[in-house]
Amino acid sequence: MGLNLLEKLVKTHLVSGEMRIGAEISISIDQTLTEDPLGTMAYLQFEAMGVPKVKTRLSVSYVDHCMLQEGFENPDDHRYLQTVAAKHGILFSKPGNGICHQVHLERFSSPGETLIGADSHTPTCGAVGMLAMGAGGLDVAVAMAGGAFYLSYPTVVRINLHGQLKPWSTAKDVILEILGRLTTKGNVGKVIEFGGEGIETLSVPERSTLTNMGAELGVTTSIFPSDEITRQFFTAQGREEQWREFLPDADARYDETIDIDLQTIEPNVALPHSPDNVCKVREAGFLKVDQVLIGSCTNSSYRDLMIAARMLKGKKVHPDVSFGVAAGSRQVLRMIAENGALNDIIDSGARILETSCGFCAGYGQAPQSGGVSIRTNNRNFEGRSGTKDAKVYLVSPEVAVASALTGQLTDPSDLNIDHPIVPVPERFYIDDSMVIWPPADGVEVYRGPNISDPPHPTPLPENLLAGVAIKLGDKITTDHIIPAGPVSRYRSNIPKSSDFIFHKVDPLFAERCKDYKKKGMASVIVAGLSYGQGSSREHAALCPSYLGVRAVIARSIERIHMANLVNFGILPLIFNDPQDYEKMQPGDELCVENTSQALNNPTMQIKNLSRGYMFEVSFSLTPRQVAIIRGGGLLSLYGSDSPIAM
Ligand code: F3S
């Protein structure tokens, strides 16, 4: 029996475990990446491990999120990131060089290698045949220190793309179509492998839009083969010698197969407030638009911005629309500046935004109160734009431009112009001078006053007494737990960051946890389905752990967040009976007796002391994870001679 791409990638990197669905495996990691708000803590954790130089083949630290620098905190963090990178053999991509996933795809991606990144859209590099996965910062720190990365062996879903997209239909519309069908729930533990003759019609940047937004499905990652299209991309990036063919065997086996005829795809839109709330633009009805933004790691490639420029040439955006454009990398910005396309964008009345995550991460460009914002990024969670009652719609660059021109959500085929054709250039503009290579030695790490040491939680107590500090509904994202935007400046300061946990949902949450702590009790978070979806933000586990949270009891918990909870010593527990979720109330006091014994079984009995009943929860933890929970978190075990630390 032949092998699929996942099997080939795992086989060549397997450190431990059996390649059996659901079994825990560990793999060696060739490359890591970090972005700034999650990177600071990852490097502080790496420093705490006492390893002098990274042991990965390549590690890159990007600054692309917190670029506004309103105060000393962000610039201090940027300097810390640069110096800690220099000291430990890590490449540093300066602010202004571009968004981590866009730059990594352009300059560092490598078919057949493994990559983990402290950012949930790390699967973007799956577009060239990498096993690229989002992970917690601590997992990235462990990988940089030479440790393996642990995951449950996934099922592999083959998505066969057939035929060719019609004019005005795009890769973004394909992934929105897939999101509409598969939704953001129920895809945990799956890997998507794209195939079929239709993939030959998609360039690498288009493929990367699909792998990027696969993150919204909740899958472990998405992978394309590395083929002739990939070779052309590498050649144009001046990296032909780094290309290699990487294909599945003809008789490879898949756990599930989905067929999509590209010819049937129409321009789509994800309606507020979820990327899977998808309908055709044509069926969305009349929608007046206040703001249009093009950019983010999903749609900011040379292809995307050239299409936008060609559509805008000689036209003006609607007077009521605020229109912003951000290139994904300096390479893209430089190329559209040189060929004059940037002038067409400027002349149309666009605001030229910095080459960074910017609006996607909630840094600037908040819409007006109750405003309608049409965006090309990947998430439209409530409040992520910076305006709580704004409505964000996710679309392709083509739909974004059409809407900016007309002032209403518009199917671009209604513009009565030809869909511009933008071939992949024969040569991209190449200048890596904003990537700083580490010097041999002699670097002192700079630590500004914003930076605090990573906390070390204590071991799990034998008798766990805890209060329900909050009860939440379904689909709580890491943005709900700890918002992006301006408060991200405190990500390297855990005591300060912790004050913002659930700040927009329940501003008294942190105080309540502190009160429980004063009474010698732990805190518990109770939630519904899909708790922790969205960004891989480990602060959504780290800060609750700092506040004394010892368990999340939910109806289901998303993969990356579950791993982060374990890494920070928080029990991820699932209600066996949904009625028990209904019965539980904020302020209830809970008790688990004899936790070491309780962790030996896959189910656990919890007593609700306030209401006088027992209920059962289950957990799916490997022996390694149980040991981490008992010890109070992965970092506490590091350097303790525990074999599970690596
Ligand atoms: Fe940045 Fe948004 Fe991508 S925050 S990494 S552009 S998802």
Side-chain angles (χ1 to χ4, degrees), residues 279-346:
C279 76
K280 293 182 177 43
V281 171
R282 200 166 284 296
E283 292 168 4
F286 175 78
L287 183 72
K288 186 170 170 5
V289 169
D290 301 301
Q291 180 187 57
V292 175
L293 296 170
I294 295 179
S296 90
C297 57
T298 316
N299 279 120
S300 60
S301 66
Y302 173 80
R303 177 254 174 228
D304 292 330
L305 268 61
M306 282 303 296
I307 295 262
R310 294 261 163 85
M311 290 176 70
L312 290 164
K313 191 176 176 67
K315 301 190 180 70
K316 298 287 180 200
V317 300
H318 191 278
D320 293 345
V321 173
S322 173
F323 178 49
V325 178
S329 68
R330 200 167 69 106
Q331 178 183 81
V332 173
L333 183 60
R334 182 64 168 70
M335 287 178 73
I336 63 170
E338 186 158 308
N339 68 15
L342 182 60
N343 286 342
D344 295 329
I345 297 173
I346 294 170

Side-chain angles (χ1 to χ4, degrees), residues 65 99 101 119 121 296-297 357 360-361 378 384:
H65 278 59
I99 304 172
H101 308 305
D119 190 280
H121 290 96
S296 90
C297 57
C357 298
C360 175
N378 44 41
R384 185 176 161 102

Side-chain angles (χ1 to χ4, degrees), residues 39-50:
T40 45
M41 195 46 61
Y43 296 114
L44 286 162
Q45 289 158 342
F46 176 77
E47 282 191 287
M49 292 170 189

Side-chain angles (χ1 to χ4, degrees), residues 18-40:
E18 217 184 301
M19 290 166 58
R20 180 171 45 79
I21 293 169
E24 186 180 66
I25 58 164
S26 68
I27 57 171
S28 60
I29 295 300
D30 300 312
Q31 300 190 15
T32 63
L33 70 79
T34 54
E35 27 89 328
D36 44 312
L38 297 182
T40 45

